[in-house]
Amino acid sequence: MSDAPDSMLSLEAVAFDVGNTRLHDLSLAIEPGQAVAVLGSRRSGKLDLLQICLGLRPPAGGTVRILGQDLWALNEAERTALRSRVPLIHEQPLFLSNVRLYDNLALPLRYHSHLSENEIRTRVDRAAARVGLERYDAIALPMMCSRELLRRAAYTRALSMSPSLLVVEELGTALDDGARDWTLRVLLEYRREGGAVLYSAPAPLPDEALSDRLVLMDRGEVLAIGEPAELRRSGVLEDWRGRSREEV
Amino acid sequence: MWGWVESVGRRAISALDYLRSLYDLLYLSLKTFATDRRSGVRVIYRVSVDQCYFTGVQAFWFIAFFGFAVGLSLAVLIQGPLLVQFLVKGVVREIAPLLTSFVVLGRSGTAIAVEIGNMKVGHELDLLESMAIDPIRRVVVPRLIGVTFAAACLTVTFDVAACVASFPVAGLSPIEFYRELTRAMTYRDLGISIGKGFLFGITTALIACHHGMTMIPLTTEVPKAATRVVMNSLMFVQSMNIACILMYAT
């Protein structure tokens, strides 16, 4: 464990200027077991920030490190291998529509690993059990499954990869959508095991346990980064709420 | 006068752009296939086999019937001593690869464009990227492999069916017919037939994948993409066929 990286993800002096999003000299580090929320309205640029963290968009300047490795200094194969350790859970559960549910769940493992089919089955089943998806129709197509089942399946697929960092898009929507209990349970359990969580949301979640640090964004810019209590005390959080409400 | 020149120039530039984008897609597909030998090999294999099954196996009996019908009707029209020569130079070398590619285009080219187009509309390509899966590697490469291999095999099926169909009309014993056929048909003829099937297959698949991947992600654009695939593939396949004929006939 001595060579374990200090941070799961770190942004160092990152610059980005595309569309409405303008990031300058942005630095952020997510340590093992931490949960960081990127807060902002729909057009605040939080999706761009998540995509930079995931390596889906290259920054104009600065360094993005995942598990201590400079993502954009690696060659394509190394970058792909590293990126596979950071799965994204989309706001609306996405699946390949013409591929059966189990094959969808096994796809990233089949693609990125050399595990046997039996080992893949074991890892998928273990991840499914964690999110309460013990029984499902493996040969059903995604369009035949309920929304709730697909949401659990999306977490299963992500957790089966044994990720170092879990990125969740619009976590607030999932929590408002009747999936609150199990989503929180899964994320908190994942954190306790040393995994880090980065998620976006329109406003701070009522559960402080998932908000070690907040990144407040508005109109494509990062307004502040800090702990919730500190941001609340200094009035920055209230200011940001006011600006976000104006934009809506 | 200048308006006409401008319009021709604009069309020429857009045609060159189109060619370049097809070349780009082919280059990226070959590059990812040749350079990365580790990621997703079993996924590519599985999707390629599925594609091969859909394009080749499911169309086998149709192509066999089609080849039989074409062979029989042409044999009835061209009865006589030139029949076997025509069978080899006309049907095996020219008609079989061309008609097979039309069937492949109608069945698989449009289906691929619609499938990839729908994947784009449903954000499934974004999903692949978010899982660090290269969409070209997972979506395009297996379709190129599957369609190309199947098209070459279907061309041979067409050749065989056409030859079998013309046998009763030739008025020769089975052994005489076989001897005549093998005397008239060289490895070059067979190579041209299979080579053209291969070339037309990869062209159709490439055009279909290109239109699916570059489509505006709207459901109304999906049928338009399928139409464009049909028109452009027909044009490309015909042009390539002429180029091939000029190449081996001169």
Side-chain angles (χ1 to χ4, degrees):
Chain A
M1 291 299 282
S2 57
D3 57 348
D6 293 338
S7 59
M8 295 298 196
L9 173 96
S10 70
L11 306 181
E12 294 161 15
V14 161
F16 184 80
D17 192 350
V18 175
N20 293 327
T21 308
R22 294 169 304 280
L23 306 175
H24 304 287
D25 205 21
L26 173 66
S27 294
L28 173 72
I30 306 177
E31 278 141 41
Q34 257 197 347
V36 174
V38 181
L39 305 180
S41 59
R42 287 273 164 193
R43 283 172 298 163
S44 61
K46 59 188 175 182
L47 187 59
D48 287 326
L49 180 55
L50 289 193
Q51 289 185 335
I52 291 169
C53 295
L54 284 161
L56 288 170
R57 306 187 85 169
T63 310
V64 179
R65 288 185 197 280
I66 295 178
L67 300 173
Q69 294 190 67
D70 182 352
L71 191 63
W72 295 99
L74 300 173
N75 67 34
E76 214 170 304
E78 290 167 338
R79 189 161 54 242
T80 300
L82 196 58
R83 277 185 48 212
S84 71
R85 309 274 309 270
V86 188
L88 167 69
I89 295 173
H90 293 85
E91 181 181 6
Q92 306 295 338
L94 289 179
F95 290 88
L96 298 183
S97 55
N98 59 353
V99 174
R100 298 184 188 284
L101 186 60
Y102 175 74
D103 291 325
N104 259 298
L105 299 181
L107 177 63
L109 281 173
R110 280 187 185 143
Y111 191 89
H112 293 293
S113 76
H114 294 283
L115 297 174
S116 70
E117 278 300 317
N118 279 342
E119 287 168 320
I120 290 175
R121 166 72 72 174
T122 308
R123 280 178 68 164
V124 169
D125 286 350
R126 203 182 301 143
R130 283 179 72 173
V131 301
L133 190 70
E134 280 95 352
R135 301 182 72 183
Y136 60 93
D137 187 1
I139 59 165
L141 289 172
M143 61 178 289
M144 295 154 68
C145 303
S146 70
R147 193 183 171 77
E148 169 69 7
L149 191 144
L150 290 179
R151 212 178 269 292
R152 287 179 194 258
Y155 275 82
T156 302
R157 184 175 55 197
L159 291 172
S160 68
M161 290 297 289
S162 313
S164 313
L165 170 71
L166 203 56
V167 182
V168 188
E169 198 182 87
E170 294 301 304
L171 181 59
T173 315
L175 296 184
D176 294 341
D177 217 17
R180 183 179 194 84
D181 292 346
W182 70 262
T183 309
L184 283 177
R185 180 180 54 76
V186 167
L187 291 177
L188 290 173
E189 205 177 287
Y190 171 70
R191 273 191 59 185
R192 268 198 299 278
E193 290 165 9
V197 183
L198 173 68
Y199 65 90
S200 65
L205 300 182
D207 304 85
E208 294 270 315
L210 271 177
S211 310
D212 293 321
R213 294 172 80 198
L214 305 180
V215 179
L216 305 181
M217 292 193 74
D218 185 48
R219 295 178 177 88
E221 288 178 17
V222 173
L223 296 186
I225 301 175
E227 290 176 14
E230 179 191 315
L231 293 172
R232 209 170 288 127
R233 203 170 38 244
S234 59
V236 176
L237 194 59
E238 206 44 51
D239 259 12
W240 170 82
R241 272 189 218 274
R243 289 177 68 152
S244 292
R245 249 180 253 129
E246 267 173 41
E247 199 188 336
V248 172
Chain B
M1 168 68 187
W2 288 115
W4 180 80
V5 172
E6 196 182 321
S7 145
V8 170
R10 197 169 294 136
R11 274 167 193 272
I13 289 170
S14 76
L16 286 174
D17 260 356
Y18 184 73
L19 278 176
R20 204 209 54 211
S21 50
L22 286 182
Y23 170 76
D24 284 349
L25 185 59
L26 182 63
Y27 171 75
L28 289 174
S29 306
L30 291 175
K31 188 182 157 207
T32 181
F33 185 64
T35 55
D36 186 357
R37 287 173 184 274
R38 296 191 315 161
S39 320
V41 174
R42 60 184 142 180
V43 175
I44 293 175
Y45 173 76
R46 208 164 163 163
V47 183
S48 302
V49 170
D50 284 350
Q51 185 62 54
C52 214
Y53 178 77
F54 173 70
T55 306
V57 178
Q58 288 191 340
F60 176 81
W61 288 111
F62 177 75
I63 284 285
F65 169 75
F66 200 29
F68 193 87
V70 170
L72 188 65
S73 45
L74 288 176
V76 170
L77 288 173
I78 312 168
Q79 286 182 50
L82 287 176
L83 174 61
V84 174
Q85 276 295 326
F86 177 77
L87 205 57
V88 172
K89 305 296 176 202
V91 177
V92 171
R93 270 176 32 166
E94 308 304 332
I95 295 173
L98 208 57
L99 290 187
T100 304
S101 81
F102 293 168
V103 175
V104 169
L105 168 63
R107 286 189 79 252
S108 302
T110 48
I112 288 172
V114 168
E115 188 188 1
I116 299 179
N118 281 332
M119 285 178 86
K120 207 162 175 195
V121 173
H123 300 285
E124 291 174 30
L125 300 181
D126 297 336
L127 167 71
L128 291 176
E129 284 200 45
S130 72
M131 293 192 289
I133 295 175
D134 179 4
I136 290 185
R137 199 167 165 77
R138 164 62 176 76
V139 177
V140 177
V141 170
R143 278 158 186 87
L144 292 185
I145 295 171
V147 171
T148 307
F149 181 69
C153 292
L154 288 177
T155 306
V156 176
T157 308
F158 193 109
D159 292 340
V160 173
C163 291
V164 169
S166 58
F167 160 66
V169 186
L172 301 169
S173 71
I175 294 170
E176 279 173 335
F177 182 74
Y178 176 75
R179 206 171 287 152
E180 282 284 313
L181 199 62
T182 46
R183 195 177 299 142
M185 195 180 315
T186 60
Y187 282 117
R188 187 167 178 262
D189 296 320
L190 208 57
I192 287 172
S193 182
I194 297 171
K196 275 183 170 181
F198 184 91
L199 188 67
F200 299 164
I202 200 167
T203 306
T204 304
L206 193 66
I207 291 173
C209 290
H210 167 75
H211 283 283
M213 299 289 280
T214 55
M215 195 196 81
I216 301 166
L218 291 171
T219 44
T220 48
E221 289 296 313
V222 177
K224 288 184 198 165
T227 309
R228 274 185 224 120
V229 168
V230 173
M231 301 314 288
N232 292 357
S233 293
L234 283 176
M235 211 133 85
F236 264 77
V237 165
Q238 291 288 9
S239 312
M240 282 177 159
N241 194 36
I242 292 169
C244 288
I245 292 171
L246 289 177
M247 232 156 57
Y248 58 69
T250 51

